[in-house]
Amino acid sequence: MLREPSPAVDWIERRLLLLASLFLFFTALAITLAPAARTRSWSADLRWEHWLGLLVWAAGFALAQRRLQRCLPNRDPFLLPVVATLSGWGLMVVWRLLPGFGARQTVWLALSLALLIVGAQFPQSLALLRRYKYVWLTSALLLLAATLLLGVNPLGYGPRMWLGCCGVYLQPSELLKLLLVAYLAAYMADRQPLLLLAESRTGGGRQRLTRLLPLLAPTLIMIGLALALLLIQRDLGAAMIFVLLYAAVVYLASGERSVLILAVMGLVLSVWIGYRLFDVVQTRVDSWLSPWLDPSGRSYQIIQALIAIANGGMIGRGPGLGSPGLAPLAHSDLIFTAIAEEFGLTGVVALLMLFGLLAARGLRVALQAQDHYRRYLAAGLVAMLTGQALLIMAGNLRLLPLTGVTLPFVSYGGSSLVTSFVCLLLLLLISERGEAAPGKVYRPAPYLGLGGFLFVGLAAGALAAGWWMLPRAAALVNRTDNQRRAIADRYVKRGALLDRDQQPISISSGEPGAIARQIVYPDLSNIVGYTNATYGQAGLEASLDEYLRGERGNPGLLIWQERLLYGQPPPGLDVRLTLDLDLQRLADEHLNGYTGALVALNAENGEILAMSSHPTFDANRLDEQWESLVKDPRAPLVNRAVLSRYPLGALAERLFPQGLAALGVDPLPAMRLPLNGVQSPQTPIQIAPQGNHTPTPLGLQPTQPARGGVALLASPLQAALAAATLTSPGVRPAMEIVSAVLTPVGGWTPLERLSQPQRVLEAQQALAQIEPYALPAEQIWLAVETVEPHTSNALVWVLAGTLPEWRGAPFALAVVIEGEYPDQAEKAARALLNALMGGSGATLSPK
């Protein structure tokens, strides 16, 4: 029956739909331009296919609005615009992630809108749902039972919870949720006089509940059958929603809070039993409670979800500019994380507000309904839609275990979308009051309680999202298993690592989209490290990542502008090291073929001039050599100069009688250490002790004083600093390997030192300790020591430095070679000292 339109309703609805259209238009435009923004070039292939989806959305909702204007003139004016925004937003995200699925979702949206348009002409469908409640629910149960024999999974693996073929699938559990609410609403409305009678009788809550149970017996049988089928399918997310829906409708009809308590207890008990019986439940609960223990295994999905959320920040990366597809099933189960990454906390709050508005208007419709049946049905549909949204968003935010349900109106899924639009149709039909007055509300408190619960849940979601996207964002985004950083490196050049004379060590080259990192001098791979899409980062590439990525050192306005326009950091900054490539080549030449390390430094200002560790590897070939590198017993990935501890033997008593701690090198003073990690997210590696040394993170194992026969252990870096302290004499220099950063405003800007020089010995005492090793004719001191000779654990130390008679800058070095190679170790030390003191024709000066 057609009625005259209501001007007020139409005015509000049209303007809200216009706002939704503008939002989706600019979202679609941003997705189109995203490839050009990523490559910063108009020659990129722009994306246009999603405009088809937007066209279908606009035409469909325009037709729906016109039909509702005629058929339901007194409808609620907010419901259609809210759903239009949610469904259009989800459609654009699905198109952006998987265009093929976007096309399918467009077809499902068109079908859903057609059902809405046709269904609006049949308000008597509400009465049909009520009259044939057992028929509808039994039919849905039979469909669900059919999946036990005929069920399929569109993915080809996993639980078979769908019916269909030829690319068209129906998930009966989605339809069953709707029909369960309709059945409960009809049943409770029919039993309303008996419910009021049970409530009016005196007695405690337990007695009232006892009198209520016989009335609920048929519903318990039906819900029991549904839950049994779902548990057989292991569809635990749908089972949880069924329990919550049942408890919500019974609570609304009876006002008995004990029903809610029993439902919560039942859920907890069910989760505990499921944890004991089903691997899938155990996996989800374990990954919820302890996700950080197995981030690349059981917890991979939730960890990637949290990283995607954290990557959004306050304003998001921008539509089409994030990498939400890295999270598994980002178009369905984790579509909330896709929205969070590209629209930021602002988008998350807007999404939560839309569901909050849907809940508020739906409960308003329930309270103003004409009779109990419509009231229970409307409130139950609100609980279904908003409760399911809360359940999946809480799982994405790690407030609850992941359940695998869809986000209503937003996630990809034909069954979910059609069911959600039928819910919208029923709410619109109920909201059409016509000339009938609202029915009497006997118990408004349960409706207010339901609304309060839903709004508290939405607020908790906003707070949790803010926690992951602001305070915890840096820790998550900087994780080595966040591949977004590697993706950004393909589009934005990292800064170069240069030696003290600005010769390139590591550079990035190529066109945006195909930029690659190359180490120009591969022998430095286990010193400067690597940045790799598969194996993360190590060495100076990791410790200087913020500068090399342009996230530090650039003006804050530039960083904000680049993120706003391109969703990326600005081009990275070049970093100058204190290393000298000529000296480095000389050191590597003398260690090549041996196992050991060498560190040479300026004993006055602490600049590390050469740092060599052998055997080494080629970071340019990491992808093809990783497996052999981690299995190599020589541990080429380990930076022996920093991470390995060796016994000093007799040198401990002769050169360092007071112990390394007295010299202030145990642990080393703060500096930007080129630590080279040996772990990756895909292949956790723990390098075992090799030979006579133990690679350990610097400072985790305290060195022991040479007392009581316990050997004093030192890394080559520690030994070089101790030698520099004696050379200075007595002043421990502030060691550094990073010299300056090339900033766009200040040019080459020196980095602030993390420590300061400190006198730790009297000059005469320091000179006395090196006097036995002095070679006045050469103006150097040089100590050679073979530790544990004639054994398999033999190694050679050489510590050396310049004497006070030397008029140039003071230098010191440490060399260690595993095995009995004293001549080679001394040869390497003398060659480096000769070059440092100008024997090669070059004089090093501080930079």
Side-chain angles (χ1 to χ4, degrees):
M1 176 179 175
L2 299 180
R3 298 171 184 164
E4 289 299 321
S6 173
V9 169
D10 295 336
W11 187 88
I12 295 173
E13 195 172 67
R14 281 199 300 268
R15 276 150 183 79
L16 291 177
L17 286 172
L18 178 60
L19 288 177
S21 302
L22 290 174
F23 167 69
L24 294 178
F25 172 80
F26 285 110
T27 298
L29 182 62
I31 294 173
T32 295
L33 299 177
R38 276 185 180 272
T39 59
R40 309 190 187 200
S41 170
W42 289 108
S43 61
D45 294 330
L46 303 183
R47 299 184 58 177
W48 299 100
E49 64 273 12
H50 56 282
W51 288 95
L52 173 62
L54 184 60
L55 180 63
V56 171
W57 175 90
F61 275 98
L63 291 174
Q65 198 274 334
R66 290 179 63 85
R67 177 50 56 182
L68 293 175
Q69 182 180 11
R70 300 293 296 169
C71 296
L72 304 173
N74 295 304
R75 67 200 175 279
D76 187 288
F78 291 89
L79 292 176
L80 186 67
V82 168
V83 170
T85 306
L86 289 172
S87 59
W89 198 349
L91 182 65
M92 290 298 98
V93 173
V94 174
W95 270 105
R96 176 260 182 277
L97 291 169
L98 298 167
F101 283 82
R104 297 182 191 179
Q105 188 78 341
T106 302
V107 174
W108 284 113
L109 179 61
L111 176 60
S112 301
L113 286 167
L115 287 175
L116 177 64
I117 293 170
V118 173
Q121 303 177 64
F122 298 97
Q124 62 270 30
S125 56
L126 289 172
L128 291 175
L129 274 178
R130 181 175 186 177
R131 181 179 304 170
Y132 300 107
K133 54 183 178 294
Y134 285 105
V135 174
W136 296 118
L137 186 60
T138 303
S139 300
L141 287 171
L142 290 175
L143 282 176
L144 184 63
T147 60
L148 300 179
L149 298 175
L150 306 174
V152 295
N153 190 310
L155 297 177
Y157 61 90
R160 297 181 300 172
M161 298 184 295
W162 287 262
L163 293 174
C165 66
C166 306
V168 180
Y169 301 96
L170 168 69
Q171 190 172 8
S173 62
E174 291 290 338
L175 179 63
L176 184 58
K177 284 184 289 190
L178 169 62
L179 294 177
L180 175 67
V181 172
Y183 162 76
L184 289 173
Y187 182 88
M188 292 300 172
D190 292 342
R191 302 300 188 277
Q192 186 62 39
L194 297 175
L195 292 171
L196 291 174
L197 180 61
E199 181 184 5
S200 65
R201 292 177 179 175
T202 58
R206 182 177 299 177
Q207 293 178 346
R208 291 196 303 271
L209 183 61
T210 302
R211 288 193 293 268
L212 188 63
L213 286 177
L215 298 175
L216 299 178
T219 65
L220 290 171
I221 294 173
M222 301 302 284
I223 189 70
L225 288 173
L227 289 175
L229 291 171
L230 290 172
L231 289 175
I232 292 173
Q233 285 188 330
R234 299 189 181 184
D235 191 354
L236 302 175
M240 291 179 65
I241 293 174
F242 273 52
V243 173
L244 293 174
L245 287 177
Y246 181 82
V249 176
V250 172
Y251 170 61
L252 291 172
S254 67
E256 280 295 332
R257 295 193 183 114
S258 53
V259 174
L260 300 178
I261 297 174
L262 288 175
V264 173
M265 293 174 60
L267 282 176
V268 173
L269 180 62
S270 300
V271 171
W272 183 81
I273 294 174
Y275 183 85
R276 296 292 182 184
L277 296 180
F278 302 120
D279 290 340
V280 63
V281 180
Q282 186 176 17
T283 297
R284 288 184 175 180
V285 173
D286 287 343
S287 62
W288 171 54
L289 295 175
S290 304
W292 320 111
L293 297 180
D294 189 14
S296 59
R298 290 186 171 188
S299 303
Y300 181 76
Q301 189 175 26
I302 183 61
I303 291 295
Q304 293 303 313
L306 294 177
I307 291 175
I309 292 169
N311 197 50
M314 179 58 72
I315 60 174
R317 296 289 168 175
L321 294 176
S323 301
L326 294 175
L329 299 176
H331 63 293
S332 57
D333 295 6
L334 300 185
I335 198 167
F336 173 79
T337 68
I339 291 174
E341 179 170 354
E342 297 201 333
F343 293 86
L345 183 59
T346 305
V348 168
V349 172
L351 182 70
L352 293 169
M353 289 176 66
L354 287 171
F355 277 105
L357 183 58
L358 178 64
R361 301 304 297 187
L363 290 176
R364 184 177 184 273
V365 168
L367 290 172
Q368 294 184 348
Q370 300 173 17
D371 53 45
H372 295 299
Y373 166 62
R374 287 176 170 81
R375 182 170 296 124
Y376 298 152
L377 179 58
L381 294 175
V382 168
M384 172 183 162
L385 294 172
T386 314
Q388 182 170 323
L390 281 175
L391 192 62
I392 187 59
M393 289 189 288
N396 288 184
L397 291 166
R398 203 190 154 216
L399 291 175
L400 292 173
L402 280 171
T403 54
V405 297
T406 57
L407 186 59
F409 301 109
V410 182
S411 293
Y412 170 79
S415 302
S416 174
L417 191 63
V418 171
T419 302
S420 298
F421 267 83
V422 174
C423 292
L424 169 65
L425 171 63
L426 296 176
L427 286 172
L428 288 170
L429 290 173
I430 297 170
S431 71
E432 175 58 37
R433 297 190 302 275
E435 298 178 357
K440 182 179 180 180
V441 181
Y442 291 100
R443 305 181 192 86
Y447 297 89
L448 298 177
L450 175 61
F453 171 78
L454 295 176
F455 289 125
V456 167
L458 293 171
L463 291 174
W467 166 251
W468 294 118
M469 301 173 86
L470 298 177
R472 289 282 294 163
L476 287 166
V477 171
N478 293 330
R479 286 178 59 89
T480 57
D481 50 355
N482 179 15
Q483 298 183 44
R484 291 162 181 80
R485 302 170 71 82
I487 292 173
D489 285 342
R490 298 208 305 262
Y491 290 91
V492 182
K493 284 189 177 181
R494 287 173 67 82
L497 286 174
L498 310 173
D499 86 332
R500 63 188 298 109
D501 294 320
Q502 298 180 195
Q503 297 184 70
I505 297 175
S506 291
I507 60 173
S508 293
S509 58
E511 296 299 319
I515 295 174
R517 191 67 168 174
Q518 177 188 9
I519 183 165
V520 180
Y521 182 64
D523 281 355
L524 270 173
S525 292
N526 59 7
I527 306 297
V528 300
Y530 52 81
T531 180
N532 184 276
T534 304
Y535 305 110
Q537 294 179 319
L540 290 172
E541 290 279 6
S543 61
L544 295 171
D545 185 67
E546 287 186 329
Y547 289 108
L548 297 173
R549 195 178 293 279
E551 295 174 342
R552 188 174 180 183
N554 277 308
L557 181 61
L558 176 63
I559 297 175
W560 180 86
Q561 174 184 312
E562 294 284 317
R563 173 161 181 168
L564 181 65
L565 294 178
Y566 308 112
Q568 300 166 343
L573 305 181
D574 294 346
V575 177
R576 188 172 67 204
L577 307 181
T578 61
L579 298 177
D580 181 275
L581 273 183
D582 293 332
L583 285 173
Q584 191 67 45
R585 291 189 181 94
L586 185 62
D588 290 325
E589 177 185 333
H590 283 84
L591 287 186
N592 189 29
Y594 298 91
T595 299
L598 182 152
V599 177
L601 65 149
N602 185 314
E604 182 178 31
N605 59 25
E607 291 182 349
I608 297 176
L609 305 173
M611 180 181 285
S612 180
S613 174
H614 281 258
T616 185
F617 65 97
D618 186 350
N620 298 320
R621 305 177 62 192
L622 200 62
D623 289 322
E624 59 185 276
Q625 295 183 342
W626 178 262
E627 292 299 328
S628 61
L629 289 173
V630 298
K631 294 176 182 178
D632 193 330
R634 302 174 303 161
L637 289 170
V638 175
N639 177 0
R640 285 172 164 80
V642 176
L643 296 176
S644 299
R645 302 290 186 92
Y646 298 90
L648 282 168
L651 285 180
E653 285 288 351
R654 297 171 185 168
L655 275 176
F656 314 118
Q658 54 279 96
L660 293 183
L663 300 182
V665 297
D666 180 29
L668 285 173
M671 63 169 292
R672 296 173 181 87
L673 292 171
L675 297 179
N676 191 13
V678 291
Q679 293 187 348
S680 78
Q682 284 74 20
T683 313
I685 301 298
Q686 181 62 50
I687 298 296
Q690 305 291 339
N692 53 7
H693 72 285
T694 304
T696 58
L698 191 62
L700 291 185
Q701 291 188 358
T703 52
Q704 307 267 344
R707 297 190 184 96
V710 179
L712 179 67
L713 302 176
S715 68
L717 188 62
Q718 286 177 303
L721 180 58
T725 302
L726 298 180
T727 299
S728 51
V731 177
R732 186 200 65 210
M735 237 181 353
E736 195 58 272
I737 197 171
V738 181
S739 173
V741 175
L742 182 59
T743 63
V745 176
W748 283 109
T749 304
L751 292 182
E752 182 180 356
R753 297 252 175 170
L754 301 181
S755 64
Q756 297 298 322
Q758 182 180 356
R759 176 165 292 282
V760 294
L761 286 178
E762 295 297 328
Q764 293 302 319
Q765 184 180 4
L767 292 174
Q769 289 175 202
I770 62 175
E771 184 178 1
Y773 305 100
L775 302 173
E778 301 179 43
Q779 297 181 311
I780 65 171
W781 64 272
L782 187 143
V784 182
E785 178 70 23
T786 301
V787 181
E788 298 187 42
H790 313 305
T791 69
S792 60
N793 292 330
L795 61 91
V796 179
W797 274 103
V798 177
L799 301 182
T802 56
L803 291 174
E805 292 79 12
W806 166 248
R807 297 303 179 186
F811 303 107
L813 59 81
V815 182
V816 63
I817 295 181
E818 299 180 24
E820 290 191 66
Y821 303 103
D823 293 341
Q824 184 63 29
E826 183 175 350
K827 180 180 178 183
R830 286 183 174 276
L832 264 292
L833 277 176
N834 182 53
L836 287 166
M837 298 171 70
S840 62
T843 303
L844 289 170
S845 58
K847 291 274 178 114

